[in-house]
Amino acid sequence: MNLRTLRAFVEVVRQGGFSQAAEVVSLTQSTVSKAVKTLEEELGMPLLNRLGHRNELTAAGEMTYRHALALLAEHANLVAEIHDLRGLKRGVLRIGLPPVGCGLLFANMFAIYRSRYPDIEIELTEYGSKKLRECLQAGEVDLAALLLPVDEGFDYQPVRNEPLIAVLPVSHPLALRKRIDFTDLADSPFILFEAGFALNAKILAACERKGVTPKVTARSGQIDFIVDLVAAGLGVAFLPRMLAHKHQHAGIALVHLDEPQTDWHIALAWRSSAHLPPAARAWLDLAAQQQLSAGHPL
């Protein structure tokens, strides 16, 4: 058993197939397949049930996946500490960001960071919240932008807290209201983000608290497309205030959502047990400086 084999197995699980995993680990599909087979032979049990084009974890696979994540994380931690011990000058910033809102929050920070630390390499990983948490747990990134609350075992530094805004077509009967909640929208179809986006869970949990069962008419990972669908009258959507204002146009109405437990509270998270490299600590320091200078609520 070696780390390369474990990494291949983890990516097959995470990416949902051998060909997708091969692209991530920069190996051929046959090499990835052999790596998983070797791991199964070494452990003496099948780890995956091959169901057509799908692969499902067996009980042994579930156990192996959990331990593989832990071993990969420990290896990443060891490498980071050794680099510090050697006084590594260049360094690598390994950061994971979700697609929603991070352009507005972090694009300018990347420019400032690059000007301050031109020799530090930046490795950017972009996934939804679920995959980002897994990447963080596996030590594949040192920092990840996640919605609060974060999982046990993570520490975090708050970045921005934004209320959600309901995005309605201008023709909607409630478009002129100043504030609405989910009971007001019980009969309106919802347009949500794709599966894996943490914002969906906040919205659906708030609906459940109000006894509302929303009809989801569409999902997308693209904010522009979601806003266009709203403008076309397909349903209502929900965006953090800063994003709603950025995408405002004549075809939509923005109404404050009176649901306080749905706030989009984003933070930079890291593993509590991990050694945080200097490159990551410098990013956290810059994030704190930027938020203080901008006067944004944390």
Side-chain angles (χ1 to χ4, degrees):
M1 186 183 302
N2 58 55
L3 292 174
R4 189 182 183 189
T5 300
L6 291 176
R7 175 79 195 284
F9 171 67
V10 163
E11 288 303 332
V12 169
V13 177
R14 182 176 293 151
Q15 304 300 327
F18 289 87
S19 60
Q20 301 95 313
E23 293 181 11
V24 173
V25 297
S26 300
L27 297 172
T28 65
Q29 181 175 340
S30 62
T31 301
V32 172
S33 180
K34 288 177 182 176
V36 174
K37 184 177 180 181
T38 298
L39 188 58
E40 289 179 323
E41 289 175 349
E42 186 172 347
L43 295 173
M45 297 187 73
L47 304 179
L48 296 169
N49 286 323
R50 281 90 169 165
L51 305 173
H53 295 293
R54 295 186 299 110
N55 296 286
E56 291 186 354
L57 285 170
T58 63
E62 292 274 5
M63 184 181 299
T64 303
Y65 182 67
R66 290 196 306 271
H67 284 280
L69 288 176
L71 288 169
L72 290 169
E74 284 302 313
H75 175 260
N77 199 27
L78 171 62
V79 170
E81 290 192 28
I82 293 297
H83 282 171
D84 273 3
L85 188 62
R86 290 174 177 171
L88 186 67
K89 292 182 179 180
R90 290 186 176 271
V92 180
L93 172 64
R94 303 184 308 154
I95 187 168
L97 301 179
V100 177
C102 285
L104 275 178
L105 285 178
F106 298 116
N108 188 54
M109 277 183 57
F110 276 112
I112 297 172
Y113 189 88
R114 174 62 69 197
S115 68
R116 289 186 183 179
Y117 312 105
D119 294 326
I120 290 182
E121 180 184 350
I122 298 174
E123 291 183 1
L124 176 60
T125 298
E126 294 182 278
Y127 282 131
S129 293
K130 181 180 178 180
K131 283 191 176 182
L132 279 183
R133 288 195 300 270
E134 291 181 356
C135 289
L136 197 56
Q137 288 170 338
E140 294 170 18
V141 295
D142 298 309
L143 296 171
L146 301 175
L147 289 188
L148 295 179
V150 297
D151 295 342
E152 185 178 350
F154 291 159
D155 288 331
Y156 67 89
Q157 175 177 301
V159 173
R160 186 76 170 260
N161 190 15
E162 290 276 320
L164 280 193
I165 298 292
V167 185
L168 284 66
V170 290
S171 59
H172 196 284
L174 302 176
L176 297 179
R177 291 270 294 272
K178 291 188 176 181
R179 305 176 75 88
I180 55 178
D181 61 24
F182 285 124
T183 56
D184 298 318
L185 297 170
D187 295 327
S188 298
F190 283 15
I191 301 170
L192 298 181
F193 286 98
E194 291 175 345
F197 284 68
L199 196 54
N200 288 346
K202 284 184 172 287
I203 292 169
L204 295 176
C207 286
E208 186 175 355
R209 288 194 296 270
K210 289 293 182 68
V212 173
T213 304
K215 176 185 177 183
V216 179
T217 189
R219 295 177 182 267
S220 175
Q222 303 298 320
I223 296 176
D224 287 337
F225 186 49
I226 288 175
V227 172
D228 288 341
L229 290 176
V230 172
L234 195 66
V236 301
F238 308 94
L239 294 176
R241 178 178 53 192
M242 66 176 191
L243 292 177
H245 288 167
K246 179 186 177 184
H247 291 84
Q248 187 169 16
H249 62 72
I252 62 172
L254 305 182
V255 183
H256 184 82
L257 186 64
D258 197 9
E259 298 284 357
Q261 294 186 57
T262 60
D263 281 5
W264 186 76
H265 199 176
I266 197 163
L268 289 164
W270 62 93
R271 288 177 294 132
S272 304
S273 60
H275 169 81
L276 207 55
R281 289 197 295 268
W283 181 267
L284 290 174
D285 291 343
L286 177 58
Q289 294 166 16
Q290 290 293 104
Q291 297 309 313
L292 287 173
S293 64
H296 292 310
L298 299 181

